[in-house]
Amino acid sequence: MSRLQRRIGDKRVLRIIRRFLKAGILQDGVCIRRVKGTPQGGPLSPLLANILLDDLDKELERRGHYFCRYADDCNIYVRSQKAGQRVMASIKRFLEQKLHLQVNQEKSAVAHVAERKFLGYRLLSGGMLAIAPASLMRTKAKIRQITRRNRGVRMEMVARQLNEFLTGWVTYFRHASCLKHLVRLDKWIRRKLRCYRLKQRKRAKSIADFLQALGVPEWRAWLLASSGKGWWHMAGSPQACEAMKVEWFDRLGLIQCSQYYPQHAEGILSLTHNAIFAI
C-alpha cells in the first residue's frame, strides 16, 4: 500500500484496493482470512503487477536487455545458455531482495526461445510467431468438453457454443503463422461432430435412415450402421464423410477456423537482435 501511495493520490481508490486485498477467501463454504496474495481472476492482480514490476522494467532497460512483459509474465532474451543462467540468477535476486517477490520455480527456466511460450504464443527463429503446443492441447480439451457425446444437447446448440469459443480463440492467435494447424483442427472438429451426431441416432436403423436422407446409398448406409464399430471409427468412415460434408456443417452454421483466420496474417514479429535463449 505504501508503494501504491507513491503513484495514487486519491484516498478513495486506495481504500477500495485495501478492501480487495483484505477480503476473505471462501473455501468449502467458510470464509478464511487472507494474509497474502490477491483475489484470483480479479482485475486487481494484473494492475498491481504492472505497478510493482515497473521497477523490473526499468532495471532491465538499465542493463540493456531485450524483454517482453505482460502483467506478471515476463520473457528476457539473451544470446547464450550461460548468459541466460547468469541473468536469471541476478534477476531472481533483484525480485526477491528488492521487490520482495517470490519467483515461481516451476514456470521459470532458461531454454531456447522456441521451447518457451509467452501468452500462448511461441517465438520461432527469424521472429516467426506460432501457437504453443500447450495452447493447442488446452483448446482441444475445451472442444472435447463442448462435444461430449453424452450431453444430450441439439447439434445447433453445440455448433453455436463452438463458434463462440473458436471465434475468440482464432482472433487471439491472428498474429501466429498457424494456417496448417487450423486446417487440421477443422477436420478434427468435423469428425468430433459427426461422432456426436451418429451417437444421437443411437440405433442401426436410425443411423441408416439418417445417412440415406443425406444421399448415401441404402446398402452402404446399412453397412456402416450395422458395423458394430466404435463411434469415433464410424465418424471417420467414407459414408459419414459423404453424408456430413463441409457444406452440411456450413448449413449448420459452424465456422471454419482456417477461413475465419485472417489470410494476411504473416506471423512475423520484427526483432532488432538475434534472440536465441529466453528466460
Side-chain angles (χ1 to χ4, degrees), residues 96-228:
E96 293 180 347
Q97 295 176 10
K98 186 166 183 180
L99 299 184
H100 306 289
L101 296 174
Q102 185 176 356
V103 177
N104 189 324
Q105 298 293 340
E106 295 181 359
K107 294 183 178 180
S108 302
V110 178
H112 192 276
V113 68
E115 299 174 8
R116 302 296 293 169
K117 68 181 181 67
F118 185 68
L119 304 178
Y121 284 90
R122 66 174 179 150
L123 185 62
L124 305 179
S125 300
M128 184 73 72
L129 286 174
I131 303 176
S135 300
L136 282 173
M137 290 176 61
R138 285 195 298 270
T139 299
K140 285 193 170 185
K142 178 65 175 179
I143 293 172
R144 288 189 185 98
Q145 182 181 358
I146 296 175
T147 58
R148 289 196 320 272
R149 296 194 293 270
N150 58 353
R151 288 190 67 194
V153 179
R154 292 178 60 85
M155 280 287 291
E156 292 77 9
M157 178 62 70
V158 174
R160 191 178 305 122
Q161 292 175 350
L162 281 173
N163 287 346
E164 292 173 358
F165 170 70
L166 293 172
T167 300
W169 185 80
V170 175
T171 303
Y172 178 79
F173 285 107
R174 65 188 179 277
H175 300 298
S177 179
C178 59
L179 187 57
K180 292 182 180 178
H181 288 294
L182 296 182
V183 170
R184 288 195 294 266
L185 185 64
D186 282 334
K187 293 179 180 178
W188 183 75
I189 291 173
R190 286 195 291 268
R191 185 167 179 178
K192 291 288 290 183
L193 290 177
R194 289 186 188 108
C195 189
Y196 187 94
R197 190 69 184 99
L198 291 174
K199 176 67 167 56
Q200 282 186 326
R201 306 301 297 190
K202 293 183 179 180
R203 301 188 181 279
K205 186 178 186 308
S206 179
I207 293 174
D209 292 342
F210 171 71
L211 295 175
Q212 291 178 67
L214 293 175
V216 179
E218 181 179 358
W219 71 273
R220 295 184 66 229
W222 274 104
L223 186 65
L224 177 65
S226 59
S227 66

